[in-house]
Amino acid sequence: RALGMDGACYVMPRAWMAYLDTAGNCPMRDVLPTNLCLMSHAAVVLDAGSHVVVWVGAAVRADGSDGGAGAAMVAQCEHFAARITQGRFPPPLRMTVREHSSGARQGAAGPGPA
């Protein structure tokens, strides 16, 4: 949580990034959500409370053309997103978006009118 300039309390989103280590495993690590625009090479999970988004960078090849590394990162992020949302009520909306897609542009624009 953070205190805004207007004195209100806001929930800060949390983010985790999947990466391939030297053993070929795909662990998750914390990352600042403000750095998402710099991560075209990564798959990232962003938890904003009511929404959990798997962000897939434009350079990530989920089709297997990179030997399966990109697909492993995306699968690990989707599994992690499912695990962190398990048992929440109401359940958060989970979605996967690719950088430069219409879903990513909609997410960057913020929530629309209710």
Side-chain angles (χ1 to χ4, degrees), residues 1 10-16 31-34 45-49 51:
R1 294 179 186 223
Y10 296 95
V11 175
M12 296 295 290
R14 294 197 60 198
W16 299 268
V31 65
L32 294 173
T34 55
V45 177
L46 178 64
D47 183 357
H51 292 69

Side-chain angles (χ1 to χ4, degrees), residues 45 54 56 73-83 94 96:
V45 177
V54 175
V56 181
M73 286 192 301
V74 173
Q76 175 66 11
C77 284
E78 289 175 343
H79 175 72
F80 186 76
R83 197 176 74 210
R94 279 194 345 236
T96 301

Side-chain angles (χ1 to χ4, degrees), residues 66-109:
D66 61 354
M73 286 192 301
V74 173
Q76 175 66 11
C77 284
E78 289 175 343
H79 175 72
F80 186 76
R83 197 176 74 210
I84 64 173
T85 58
Q86 193 173 24
R88 287 196 199 172
F89 187 81
L93 177 65
R94 279 194 345 236
M95 62 183 112
T96 301
V97 297
R98 176 167 287 283
E99 185 178 17
H100 304 303
S101 70
S102 59
R105 286 190 292 276
Q106 179 182 1

